[in-house]
Amino acid sequence: MEFSFIKSAVKPSQFPPPDRPEIAFAGRSNVGKSSLINTLVNSPKLARTSSRPGRTRAINFFNVGKTLCLTDLPGYGYAEAPLKLRRNWKVLIETYLKERHNLKAVVVIIDIRRTLGQGDLELLRWLKTYEIDAIVVLTKADKVSKGKAKHHQDVTASQLMQEGFGQPISFSAKTGQGKQELCKAMHKVVGTDL
Ligand code: GTP
Ligand code: MG
């Protein structure tokens, strides 16, 4: 399968034509969204990653062959971002979720060491409102012991259940853990293999 970068969009008029099913990747700033995409597509440099938060400020669109589009959304919850930027983010993301009719699901990425934050909950509630499927992933699983990972997964799973969402998938961009399971969940939504 061929993967390629299509474009970056900082406003809706720059979105590419919605001519194929799309899956978006969202989460807090620095949580590991871009790394997760790179792991999924086996291409360490497709999406830009950085140890500094707030790296991805636009919506980046990627082609998966000719049948699927992936989008890397800018991270939320970066407190140091100027207010204007945070406002822009909100408008950009909400417009994207509301108007992108080819959007089939959003992969909501959470650090396995944290519980659901305000930004995560706000996003999950938007997805409910707009009737978009959510796939929740707990990433950086390699950073905690198996026992801790299981504990965090249970806590987040019950938080998610209260909000009306399914089981989260544990994942690591470093070890590839959870990749198969995530591909399966994505396949279920779009019917296309990665
Ligand atoms: P923004 O675009 O700034 O919002 O960040 P992002 O969510 O795209 O995060 P990015 O993929 O750039 O990763 C942030 C940092 O976390 C980088 O230093 C990555 O190497 C690291 N990282 C991401 N995923 C994992 C993981 O599964 N395990 C470990 N150990 N580190 C990870
Ligand atoms: Mg990023």
Side-chain angles (χ1 to χ4, degrees), residues 30 32-35 47-50 55-56 72-75:
N30 209 234
K33 299 173 290 297
S34 304
S35 304
R48 279 244 198 100
T49 66
S50 160
R55 183 72 193 79
T56 313
D72 190 1
L73 304 186

Side-chain angles (χ1 to χ4, degrees), residues 28-35 49-56 75 139-140 142-143 172-174:
R28 273 181 78 89
S29 181
N30 209 234
V31 73
K33 299 173 290 297
S34 304
S35 304
T49 66
S50 160
S51 55
R52 286 214 325 273
R55 183 72 193 79
T56 313
T139 196
K140 302 192 182 176
D142 60 280
K143 293 228 184 213
S172 165
K174 207 165 171 184

Side-chain angles (χ1 to χ4, degrees), residues 47-186:
R48 279 244 198 100
T49 66
S50 160
S51 55
R52 286 214 325 273
R55 183 72 193 79
T56 313
R57 291 192 179 160
I59 299 183
N60 290 312
F61 293 79
F62 302 94
N63 266 329
V64 178
K66 290 189 167 63
T67 52
L68 182 65
C69 186
L70 303 182
T71 60
D72 190 1
L73 304 186
Y76 46 79
Y78 181 44
E80 278 158 50
L83 189 62
K84 189 159 175 271
L85 205 72
R86 276 185 273 157
R87 274 209 206 108
N88 276 353
W89 179 90
K90 225 176 147 124
V91 172
L92 181 67
I93 301 295
E94 200 170 8
T95 309
Y96 173 77
L97 296 178
K98 227 189 309 201
E99 294 179 2
R100 195 74 180 160
H101 296 298
N102 58 329
L103 179 64
K104 299 297 177 199
V106 176
V107 178
V108 179
I109 304 162
I110 293 157
D111 188 315
I112 196 159
R113 297 164 296 179
R114 306 178 76 115
T115 50
L116 294 182
Q118 204 46 50
D120 305 317
L121 287 170
E122 194 172 325
L123 174 64
L124 288 166
R125 287 169 190 161
W126 273 348
L127 297 178
K128 268 254 141 53
T129 305
Y130 302 132
E131 297 178 339
I132 302 165
D133 274 341
I135 301 169
V136 181
V137 169
L138 305 181
T139 196
K140 302 192 182 176
D142 60 280
K143 293 228 184 213
V144 290
S145 68
K146 283 230 165 67
K148 269 233 166 77
K150 167 86 175 66
H151 172 72
H152 285 288
Q153 172 143 18
D154 289 347
V155 171
T156 309
S158 67
Q159 245 186 321
L160 284 169
M161 210 158 73
Q162 275 175 24
E163 297 286 325
F165 293 94
Q167 287 285 326
I169 298 170
S170 290
F171 185 91
S172 165
K174 207 165 171 184
T175 66
Q177 180 195 335
K179 183 176 158 181
Q180 225 56 24
E181 202 184 335
L182 178 55
C183 285
K184 229 195 233 162
M186 289 169 58

